[in-house]
Amino acid sequence: MTAIGSLTVPGMPGTVSTSTHCPYCALQCAMSLNTKPGSNAVTVEGREFPTNRGALCQKGWTAAELLDHPSRLTTPLIREVRGDRHSRFMATDWETVLDLMAADISSIQSAHGRDAIAVFGGGGLTNEKAYALGKFARVALGTSQIDYNGRFCMSSAAAASNASLGLDRGMPFPLTDVQGAGAVLLIGSNIAETMPPALQHLEIMRASGGRLIVIDPRVTRTALNADLHLQPASGTDLAVAMGLLHILCAQGAIDEQYIVERTTGFDQVRASVQSYRPDHVERITGVPSALLQRAATWLAEQAPFRQGRGSMILTGRGGEQHSNGTQTVHGFINIALALGLPGGRNSGYGCITGQGNGQGGREHGQKADQLPGYRMITDPAAREHVAGVWGVEPKSIPGPGRSAFELLDALGQPGGPRALLVMGSNPVVSAPSATRVTERIQSLELLVVADFFMSETAALADVVLPVTQWAEETGTMTNLEGRVILRQQAVQPPDGVRSDLQVLSELAQRLGAGERFPADAFPTDPHVVFAELGRASAGGRADYSKVTYERIQQEGGVLWGGDRMFAQTFPTPDGRARFVGTFFAGVAEPTDNAYPMTLTTGRILAQYQSGTQTRRVRSLVEASGEPFVEVHPDVADDLGIGIGDRARVTTRRGSVTVSVRISSALRPDTIGTAPALVTSRG
Ligand SMILES: Nc1nc2c(c(=O)[nH]1)N[C@H]1C(S)=C(S)[C@@H](COP(=O)(O)OP(=O)(O)OC[C@H]3O[C@@H](n4cnc5c(=O)[nH]c(N)nc54)[C@H](O)[C@@H]3O)O[C@H]1N2
Ligand SMILES: Nc1nc2c(c(=O)[nH]1)N[C@H]1C(S)=C(S)[C@@H](COP(=O)(O)OP(=O)(O)OC[C@H]3O[C@@H](n4cnc5c(=O)[nH]c(N)nc54)[C@H](O)[C@@H]3O)O[C@H]1N2
Ligand code: SF4
Ligand SMILES: [Mo]
């Protein structure tokens, strides 16, 4: 690997330092990669940046170990007998594999129509890749069948934010605002494990007298640092939210002026929480009413209308990933609106986006129903604008396709897609009902996976394409605050791998859409792709037309749409936020005699997602390499299981055998697995 950046490091002669960001989560911690010409060694250093303040977690520190990892894929692979997933992989060259894919795609499409080819992307892809993938699907493949893994992530919050606030922007304020807040309510988020450097903001907040309230059925490391921990039964967060709003209404602790001037729909919501008295909520959720009262009081005291320091409500996956997740998020947004938080100083509602480019990945056209810039694919004006940028006829852009689960579930089914291109996801491990999805994937005529390692999904593919990793390419990411940042290439990729952009461009050439994916620009110059993304998104809700690589470099990142959204108005037709009525219908899948416990999942610091990357880093495997299940001591006693035993955990969807950890951090009615493996939450 040779360095490309040109900054030399003082005191370290010959060392070149490239400014970039971590390959993993949405905090996008800033780091420098230091290289010496002629040497393969890359060292990682934390770099000062608003989200991480120079710190990194263990995953960030060890990220460079994967660049020259021995199991890195460096040659395209094809099955010895195509269509036979038991046959061996054979190494081949790029020309052969691309020609073959193009021929297969064309023959499947001529026999079964354009929608017979599907595309599945990811929230870890750069903005440039996410944009190019959406364009590739609509222009080169002409398919409507594209979606991405973000649907399994923060989509409930996205839907609720759109409906209530008029925009899905994870955090509509900088993360550093947390420091100045007087009360922060975290729902189902364990940032001590999932974004450790972000704890600094909470620590600063608490050191100056602010209070942290955590809602989580487990006593997590984040909850241990809280001033108040509410431990509801899993899946009952909406009842907690409605109970909190009930208390605020009953005490008159609401911002009447804000409600009148900036919102609609409050009366209906006030009526809907009337029966959610604290004692009733205690019976549903198990949260003592006194604690509920205390949480409501703290949030109200610090709200802008009480001249407090600011109150903030932030949701994570634990509250969102339920069949009633959108309703739950509405429940918490309703509290934020009643307290007049959105747009206020050190205040607001935010969803803590998870994947590296979870925010940008959902803005630029990977979603089945969207075009770049958060434009709706059904909107004639949006289609015309984007068609103009792409140089195609508006009517040639397909309509909306199936969303992620429906898409995966239709694979190989009558009328469903017969081929799938996966770029940036490992659905065999991470999709809900993974067993069922794996069966569908296996029924495909053609599965193509682009990855840097042999993921579980790649292992089932007919074609595996070896692609470049983060430090080997340049591109932008949009972090959890909506800050567009630049990852810069620091090292040369190993021989044999190509970038995702180059793969898309070369396939497009072979599918007759070459001039829309110019070979000179697309593969080699993400800068050009970003400029095109800017034009395609111009005038949309996520408008990147004013963001450039140069600005990002000069300003250390650019918050699209400004740094305090909603301060004056909401991007809704009437400029007001909407209260949305909620109804708690109970837990979607209650326990019964056959399935007496609730299973939930939680992440651990050392492992990232399905583990394709982090399970290959030795120190992370040593820290925690194996999935496990946490069981309350009472339950372990009842079942006669002990520490270190292996247990088979069975849900209505499937089962898995994992080692046991005994922990009183859990409610006795709940067991938890980590890393994320067994099943999605209720
Ligand atoms: N180390 C590590 N960091 C990561 C990731 C990773 O895989 N590993 N992934 C990144 C991604 S994509 C994401 S989305 C984020 C996720 O970040 P978080 O949202 O912090 O992650 P989780 O651990 O999935 O869930 C958080 C908490 O929800 C709790 N929970 C479970 N059920 C419920 C419930 O019914 N109600 C409530 N209130 N809480 C519940 C769990 O006990 C858990 O502590 O992390 C990002 N960062
Ligand atoms: N049981 C359970 N299931 C879950 C969750 C849970 O908590 N529990 N969490 C859900 C959540 S929040 C999420 S976000 C999803 C995540 O689920 P996945 O989509 O499976 O996420 P990853 O494991 O990050 O998979 C990304 C894959 O793409 C590869 N990759 C990374 N970057 C690139 C790139 O630039 N180009 C290409 N071609 N490949 C790349 C990686 O090596 C990896 O194999 O899982 C969801 N599923
Ligand atoms: S917190 Fe996230 S972005 Fe920061 S070093 Fe860890 S994995 Fe990377
Ligand atoms: Mo996620």
Side-chain angles (χ1 to χ4, degrees), residues 40-102:
N40 262 1
V42 179
T43 56
V44 178
E45 230 183 317
R47 190 161 60 81
E48 202 51 46
F49 184 66
T51 62
N52 64 310
R53 310 176 86 238
L56 299 173
C57 82
Q58 203 181 359
K59 297 185 296 301
W61 286 119
T62 53
E65 283 181 37
L66 292 176
L67 294 170
D68 56 359
H69 194 279
S71 61
R72 181 82 191 268
L73 299 169
T74 54
T75 170
L77 302 171
I78 313 187
R79 292 279 172 198
E80 195 166 23
V81 184
R82 288 212 337 275
D84 175 2
R85 295 217 163 71
H86 301 293
S87 71
R88 282 183 314 156
F89 276 124
M90 289 185 322
T92 185
D93 60 84
W94 278 98
E95 298 312 304
T96 308
V97 82
L98 291 166
D99 287 349
L100 189 132
M101 277 170 63

Coordinates of all heavy atoms in Angstrom, one line a residue, residues 40-102:
N40 N 3.8 -1.3 4.2 CA 2.4 -1.7 4.2 C 1.7 -1.2 5.5 O 0.5 -1.3 5.6 CB 2.3 -3.2 4.2 CG 2.0 -3.6 2.7 OD1 1.9 -2.8 1.8 ND2 1.9 -4.9 2.6
A41 N 2.4 -0.7 6.4 CA 1.8 -0.4 7.7 C 1.0 0.9 7.7 O 1.4 1.9 7.1 CB 2.9 -0.3 8.8
V42 N -0.2 0.8 8.3 CA -1.0 2.0 8.4 C -1.3 2.1 9.9 O -1.7 1.2 10.6 CB -2.4 1.8 7.7 CG1 -3.2 3.0 7.9 CG2 -2.2 1.5 6.2
T43 N -1.0 3.3 10.5 CA -1.4 3.5 11.8 C -2.6 4.5 11.9 O -2.7 5.4 11.1 CB -0.3 4.0 12.7 OG1 0.2 5.2 12.1 CG2 0.8 2.9 12.8
V44 N -3.4 4.3 12.9 CA -4.7 5.1 13.1 C -4.5 6.0 14.2 O -4.0 5.6 15.3 CB -5.9 4.1 13.3 CG1 -7.1 4.9 13.6 CG2 -6.1 3.1 12.2
E45 N -4.9 7.2 14.0 CA -4.8 8.2 15.1 C -6.2 8.9 15.2 O -6.8 9.3 14.1 CB -3.8 9.3 14.7 CG -2.8 9.6 15.8 CD -1.8 10.7 15.3 OE1 -1.4 10.6 14.1 OE2 -1.6 11.6 16.0
G46 N -6.7 9.1 16.4 CA -8.0 9.9 16.5 C -7.7 11.4 16.1 O -6.6 11.9 16.3
R47 N -8.7 12.0 15.5 CA -8.5 13.4 15.1 C -9.7 14.2 15.7 O -10.8 13.7 15.9 CB -8.6 13.4 13.6 CG -8.2 14.7 12.9 CD -7.9 14.4 11.4 NE -9.0 13.8 10.6 CZ -10.0 14.5 10.1 NH1 -10.0 15.8 10.2 NH2 -10.9 13.9 9.5
E48 N -9.4 15.5 16.0 CA -10.4 16.4 16.6 C -11.5 16.6 15.6 O -11.3 16.9 14.5 CB -9.6 17.7 16.9 CG -10.3 18.5 18.0 CD -10.6 17.8 19.3 OE1 -9.8 17.0 19.8 OE2 -11.8 18.0 19.7
F49 N -12.7 16.5 16.1 CA -13.9 16.6 15.3 C -15.1 16.7 16.3 O -15.1 16.2 17.3 CB -14.1 15.3 14.4 CG -15.2 15.3 13.4 CD1 -15.2 16.2 12.4 CD2 -16.2 14.4 13.5 CE1 -16.2 16.2 11.4 CE2 -17.3 14.4 12.6 CZ -17.3 15.3 11.6
P50 N -16.2 17.5 15.9 CA -17.2 17.7 16.9 C -17.8 16.4 17.5 O -18.1 16.4 18.7 CB -18.3 18.5 16.1 CG -17.6 19.1 14.9 CD -16.4 18.2 14.6
T51 N -18.0 15.4 16.7 CA -18.7 14.2 17.3 C -17.8 13.4 18.2 O -18.3 12.9 19.2 CB -19.2 13.2 16.2 OG1 -18.1 12.7 15.4 CG2 -20.2 13.9 15.3
N52 N -16.5 13.2 17.9 CA -15.7 12.3 18.7 C -14.6 13.0 19.5 O -14.0 12.4 20.4 CB -15.0 11.3 17.8 CG -14.0 11.9 16.8 OD1 -14.3 12.8 16.0 ND2 -12.8 11.3 16.7
R53 N -14.4 14.3 19.3 CA -13.5 15.1 20.1 C -12.1 14.3 20.3 O -11.6 14.3 21.3 CB -14.1 15.4 21.5 CG -15.5 16.0 21.4 CD -16.1 16.3 22.7 NE -15.8 17.6 23.2 CZ -15.2 17.7 24.4 NH1 -14.9 16.7 25.2 NH2 -14.8 18.9 24.8
G54 N -11.7 13.8 19.1 CA -10.4 13.2 19.1 C -10.4 11.7 19.5 O -9.4 11.0 19.3
A55 N -11.5 11.2 20.1 CA -11.5 9.8 20.6 C -12.0 8.9 19.5 O -12.6 9.3 18.6 CB -12.4 9.8 21.8
L56 N -11.7 7.6 19.7 CA -12.2 6.5 18.9 C -12.5 5.4 19.8 O -12.0 5.3 20.9 CB -11.1 6.0 17.9 CG -10.5 7.0 16.9 CD1 -9.3 6.3 16.2 CD2 -11.5 7.5 15.9
C57 N -13.4 4.5 19.3 CA -13.6 3.3 20.1 C -12.7 2.2 19.5 O -12.0 2.4 18.5 CB -15.1 2.8 20.0 SG -15.6 1.9 18.5
Q58 N -12.8 1.0 20.2 CA -11.8 -0.1 19.8 C -12.0 -0.5 18.3 O -11.0 -0.9 17.7 CB -12.2 -1.3 20.7 CG -11.1 -2.3 20.9 CD -11.6 -3.4 21.8 OE1 -12.8 -3.4 22.3 NE2 -10.7 -4.4 22.0
K59 N -13.2 -0.4 17.8 CA -13.4 -0.8 16.4 C -12.6 0.2 15.5 O -12.0 -0.2 14.5 CB -14.9 -0.8 16.1 CG -15.6 -1.8 16.8 CD -17.1 -1.9 16.4 CE -17.9 -0.7 16.6 NZ -18.0 -0.2 18.0
G60 N -12.7 1.5 15.8 CA -12.0 2.5 15.0 C -10.5 2.3 15.0 O -9.8 2.3 14.0
W61 N -10.0 2.1 16.3 CA -8.5 1.9 16.4 C -8.0 0.8 15.6 O -6.9 0.8 15.1 CB -8.2 1.7 17.9 CG -8.3 2.8 18.8 CD1 -9.1 2.9 19.9 CD2 -7.6 4.1 18.7 NE1 -8.9 4.2 20.5 CE2 -8.0 4.9 19.8 CE3 -6.6 4.5 17.8 CZ2 -7.5 6.1 20.0 CZ3 -6.1 5.8 18.1 CH2 -6.5 6.6 19.1
T62 N -8.8 -0.3 15.4 CA -8.3 -1.5 14.8 C -8.7 -1.6 13.3 O -8.5 -2.6 12.7 CB -8.8 -2.7 15.6 OG1 -10.2 -2.6 15.7 CG2 -8.2 -2.8 17.0
A63 N -9.4 -0.6 12.8 CA -10.0 -0.7 11.5 C -9.0 -1.0 10.4 O -9.3 -1.7 9.4 CB -10.8 0.6 11.2
A64 N -7.8 -0.4 10.5 CA -6.9 -0.6 9.4 C -6.3 -2.0 9.3 O -5.8 -2.4 8.2 CB -5.7 0.4 9.6
E65 N -6.5 -2.8 10.3 CA -6.1 -4.2 10.2 C -6.7 -5.0 9.1 O -6.2 -6.0 8.6 CB -6.4 -5.0 11.5 CG -5.4 -4.6 12.7 CD -5.8 -5.4 13.9 OE1 -6.2 -6.6 13.9 OE2 -5.6 -4.8 15.0
L66 N -7.9 -4.5 8.6 CA -8.6 -5.2 7.6 C -8.1 -5.0 6.2 O -8.5 -5.6 5.3 CB -10.1 -4.9 7.7 CG -10.8 -5.5 8.9 CD1 -12.3 -5.0 9.0 CD2 -10.8 -7.0 9.0
L67 N -7.3 -3.9 6.1 CA -6.9 -3.5 4.7 C -6.0 -4.6 4.0 O -6.2 -4.9 2.9 CB -6.1 -2.2 4.8 CG -7.0 -1.0 5.2 CD1 -6.1 0.2 5.5 CD2 -8.0 -0.7 4.1
D68 N -5.1 -5.2 4.8 CA -4.3 -6.2 4.2 C -4.6 -7.6 4.8 O -3.7 -8.4 5.0 CB -2.8 -5.9 4.2 CG -2.3 -5.6 5.6 OD1 -3.1 -5.7 6.5 OD2 -1.1 -5.3 5.7
H69 N -5.8 -7.8 5.2 CA -6.2 -9.0 5.9 C -6.0 -10.2 5.0 O -6.4 -10.1 3.8 CB -7.6 -8.9 6.4 CG -8.0 -10.0 7.4 ND1 -8.4 -11.2 7.0 CD2 -8.1 -9.9 8.7 CE1 -8.7 -11.9 8.0 NE2 -8.5 -11.2 9.1
P70 N -5.5 -11.3 5.5 CA -5.3 -12.5 4.6 C -6.6 -13.0 3.9 O -6.5 -13.6 2.8 CB -4.7 -13.6 5.5 CG -4.7 -13.0 6.9 CD -5.0 -11.6 6.8
S71 N -7.7 -12.9 4.5 CA -8.9 -13.4 3.9 C -9.6 -12.4 3.0 O -10.7 -12.6 2.5 CB -9.9 -14.0 4.9 OG -10.3 -13.0 5.8
R72 N -9.0 -11.3 2.7 CA -9.5 -10.3 1.8 C -9.8 -10.9 0.4 O -8.9 -11.6 -0.1 CB -8.5 -9.2 1.7 CG -8.8 -8.0 0.8 CD -9.7 -7.1 1.6 NE -10.2 -6.1 0.6 CZ -9.7 -4.9 0.4 NH1 -8.6 -4.6 1.0 NH2 -10.2 -4.1 -0.5
L73 N -10.9 -10.6 -0.1 CA -11.2 -11.0 -1.5 C -10.5 -10.2 -2.5 O -10.6 -8.9 -2.4 CB -12.7 -10.9 -1.8 CG -13.7 -11.8 -0.9 CD1 -15.1 -11.3 -1.1 CD2 -13.5 -13.2 -1.2
T74 N -9.7 -10.8 -3.4 CA -9.0 -10.0 -4.3 C -9.2 -10.4 -5.8 O -8.5 -9.9 -6.7 CB -7.5 -10.0 -4.0 OG1 -7.0 -11.4 -3.9 CG2 -7.1 -9.3 -2.7
T75 N -10.0 -11.4 -6.0 CA -10.3 -11.8 -7.4 C -11.8 -12.2 -7.5 O -12.4 -12.7 -6.5 CB -9.4 -13.0 -7.7 OG1 -9.8 -13.5 -9.0 CG2 -9.4 -14.1 -6.7
P76 N -12.4 -11.8 -8.6 CA -13.8 -12.2 -8.8 C -14.0 -13.7 -8.8 O -13.1 -14.4 -9.2 CB -14.2 -11.6 -10.2 CG -13.1 -10.6 -10.5 CD -11.9 -11.1 -9.8
L77 N -15.1 -14.2 -8.2 CA -15.3 -15.6 -8.1 C -16.6 -15.9 -8.8 O -17.6 -15.2 -8.7 CB -15.4 -16.0 -6.6 CG -14.2 -15.7 -5.7 CD1 -14.6 -15.9 -4.3 CD2 -13.0 -16.5 -6.2
I78 N -16.6 -17.1 -9.5 CA -17.9 -17.6 -10.1 C -18.0 -19.1 -9.7 O -17.0 -19.8 -9.6 CB -17.8 -17.6 -11.7 CG1 -17.3 -16.2 -12.2 CG2 -19.2 -17.9 -12.3 CD1 -17.4 -16.1 -13.7
R79 N -19.2 -19.5 -9.6 CA -19.5 -20.9 -9.3 C -19.0 -21.8 -10.4 O -19.2 -21.5 -11.6 CB -21.0 -21.2 -9.1 CG -21.6 -20.6 -7.9 CD -21.3 -21.5 -6.7 NE -21.8 -20.7 -5.5 CZ -21.5 -21.0 -4.3 NH1 -20.6 -22.0 -4.0 NH2 -21.9 -20.2 -3.3
E80 N -18.4 -22.9 -10.1 CA -18.0 -23.9 -11.1 C -19.2 -24.3 -12.0 O -19.1 -24.3 -13.2 CB -17.4 -25.1 -10.4 CG -16.6 -26.0 -11.3 CD -15.7 -26.9 -10.5 OE1 -16.1 -27.3 -9.4 OE2 -14.7 -27.4 -11.0
V81 N -20.3 -24.6 -11.4 CA -21.5 -24.9 -12.1 C -22.5 -23.8 -11.7 O -22.9 -23.7 -10.6 CB -22.1 -26.3 -11.7 CG1 -23.3 -26.6 -12.6 CG2 -21.1 -27.4 -11.8
R82 N -22.7 -22.9 -12.7 CA -23.6 -21.7 -12.3 C -25.0 -22.2 -11.9 O -25.5 -23.1 -12.6 CB -23.6 -20.7 -13.4 CG -22.3 -20.0 -13.4 CD -22.3 -18.6 -13.9 NE -23.4 -18.1 -14.7 CZ -23.5 -18.2 -16.0 NH1 -22.5 -18.8 -16.7 NH2 -24.5 -17.7 -16.7
G83 N -25.6 -21.6 -10.9 CA -26.9 -22.1 -10.5 C -26.8 -23.2 -9.4 O -27.8 -23.4 -8.7
D84 N -25.7 -23.8 -9.3 CA -25.5 -24.9 -8.3 C -24.7 -24.3 -7.1 O -23.5 -24.2 -7.2 CB -24.8 -26.1 -8.9 CG -24.5 -27.2 -7.8 OD1 -24.9 -26.9 -6.7 OD2 -23.9 -28.2 -8.2
R85 N -25.4 -24.0 -6.0 CA -24.7 -23.3 -4.9 C -23.8 -24.3 -4.1 O -23.2 -23.8 -3.2 CB -25.8 -22.6 -4.1 CG -26.5 -21.5 -4.8 CD -26.8 -20.3 -4.0 NE -27.1 -19.2 -4.9 CZ -28.2 -19.2 -5.6 NH1 -29.1 -20.1 -5.6 NH2 -28.4 -18.1 -6.5
H86 N -23.9 -25.5 -4.5 CA -23.0 -26.4 -3.8 C -21.7 -26.6 -4.5 O -20.7 -27.2 -4.0 CB -23.6 -27.8 -3.5 CG -24.9 -27.7 -2.7 ND1 -24.9 -27.3 -1.4 CD2 -26.2 -27.8 -3.1 CE1 -26.1 -27.2 -1.0 NE2 -26.9 -27.5 -2.0
S87 N -21.6 -26.1 -5.7 CA -20.4 -26.3 -6.5 C -19.4 -25.3 -6.0 O -19.7 -24.3 -5.3 CB -20.7 -26.1 -8.0 OG -20.9 -24.8 -8.3
R88 N -18.1 -25.5 -6.4 CA -17.0 -24.7 -5.8 C -17.0 -23.3 -6.5 O -17.4 -23.1 -7.7 CB -15.7 -25.4 -6.1 CG -15.4 -26.5 -5.1 CD -14.0 -27.0 -5.4 NE -13.8 -27.3 -6.9 CZ -12.7 -27.3 -7.5 NH1 -11.6 -27.1 -6.8 NH2 -12.6 -27.6 -8.8
F89 N -16.4 -22.3 -5.8 CA -16.1 -21.1 -6.5 C -14.8 -21.2 -7.3 O -13.8 -21.8 -6.9 CB -15.8 -20.0 -5.4 CG -17.0 -19.3 -4.8 CD1 -17.3 -19.4 -3.5 CD2 -17.9 -18.7 -5.7 CE1 -18.4 -18.8 -3.0 CE2 -19.1 -18.1 -5.2 CZ -19.3 -18.1 -3.8
M90 N -14.8 -20.6 -8.5 CA -13.6 -20.5 -9.3 C -13.2 -19.0 -9.4 O -14.0 -18.2 -9.6 CB -13.9 -21.0 -10.7 CG -14.1 -22.5 -10.7 SD -14.2 -23.0 -12.4 CE -15.2 -21.7 -13.2
A91 N -11.9 -18.8 -9.3 CA -11.4 -17.5 -9.6 C -11.5 -17.1 -11.0 O -11.3 -18.0 -11.9 CB -9.9 -17.4 -9.1
T92 N -11.8 -15.9 -11.3 CA -11.8 -15.5 -12.7 C -11.3 -14.1 -12.9 O -10.9 -13.5 -11.9 CB -13.3 -15.7 -13.3 OG1 -13.3 -15.4 -14.7 CG2 -14.3 -14.7 -12.6
D93 N -11.4 -13.5 -14.1 CA -10.9 -12.1 -14.2 C -12.1 -11.2 -14.4 O -13.3 -11.7 -14.7 CB -10.0 -12.0 -15.4 CG -10.7 -12.4 -16.7 OD1 -11.4 -11.6 -17.3 OD2 -10.6 -13.7 -17.0
W94 N -11.9 -9.9 -14.3 CA -13.0 -9.0 -14.3 C -13.8 -8.9 -15.6 O -15.0 -8.9 -15.6 CB -12.5 -7.6 -13.9 CG -12.4 -7.4 -12.5 CD1 -11.2 -7.5 -11.7 CD2 -13.4 -7.0 -11.6 NE1 -11.5 -7.2 -10.4 CE2 -12.8 -6.9 -10.3 CE3 -14.8 -6.8 -11.7 CZ2 -13.6 -6.6 -9.1 CZ3 -15.5 -6.5 -10.6 CH2 -14.9 -6.4 -9.3
E95 N -13.0 -9.0 -16.7 CA -13.7 -8.9 -18.0 C -14.7 -10.1 -18.2 O -15.8 -9.9 -18.5 CB -12.7 -8.9 -19.2 CG -11.7 -7.7 -19.2 CD -12.4 -6.4 -19.0 OE1 -13.3 -6.1 -19.8 OE2 -12.1 -5.7 -18.0
T96 N -14.2 -11.3 -17.8 CA -15.1 -12.4 -17.9 C -16.3 -12.3 -17.1 O -17.5 -12.5 -17.5 CB -14.3 -13.7 -17.5 OG1 -13.1 -13.7 -18.2 CG2 -15.1 -15.0 -17.7
V97 N -16.1 -11.9 -15.8 CA -17.2 -11.9 -14.9 C -18.2 -10.8 -15.3 O -19.5 -11.0 -15.2 CB -16.7 -11.7 -13.4 CG1 -16.4 -10.3 -13.0 CG2 -17.7 -12.4 -12.5
L98 N -17.8 -9.6 -15.7 CA -18.7 -8.6 -16.1 C -19.4 -8.9 -17.4 O -20.7 -8.7 -17.4 CB -17.9 -7.2 -16.3 CG -17.3 -6.6 -15.0 CD1 -16.3 -5.6 -15.3 CD2 -18.4 -6.1 -14.1
D99 N -18.8 -9.5 -18.3 CA -19.5 -10.0 -19.6 C -20.5 -11.0 -19.2 O -21.7 -10.9 -19.7 CB -18.5 -10.6 -20.5 CG -17.5 -9.6 -21.2 OD1 -17.8 -8.4 -21.0 OD2 -16.6 -10.0 -21.8
L100 N -20.2 -11.9 -18.4 CA -21.1 -12.9 -18.0 C -22.3 -12.4 -17.3 O -23.5 -12.8 -17.5 CB -20.3 -13.9 -17.1 CG -21.0 -15.2 -16.8 CD1 -20.0 -16.3 -17.0 CD2 -21.4 -15.2 -15.3
M101 N -22.1 -11.5 -16.3 CA -23.2 -10.9 -15.6 C -24.1 -10.1 -16.5 O -25.3 -10.3 -16.4 CB -22.7 -9.9 -14.5 CG -22.2 -10.6 -13.3 SD -21.4 -9.4 -12.2 CE -22.7 -8.2 -11.9
A102 N -23.5 -9.4 -17.4 CA -24.3 -8.6 -18.4 C -25.2 -9.5 -19.2 O -26.4 -9.3 -19.4 CB -23.5 -7.7 -19.2

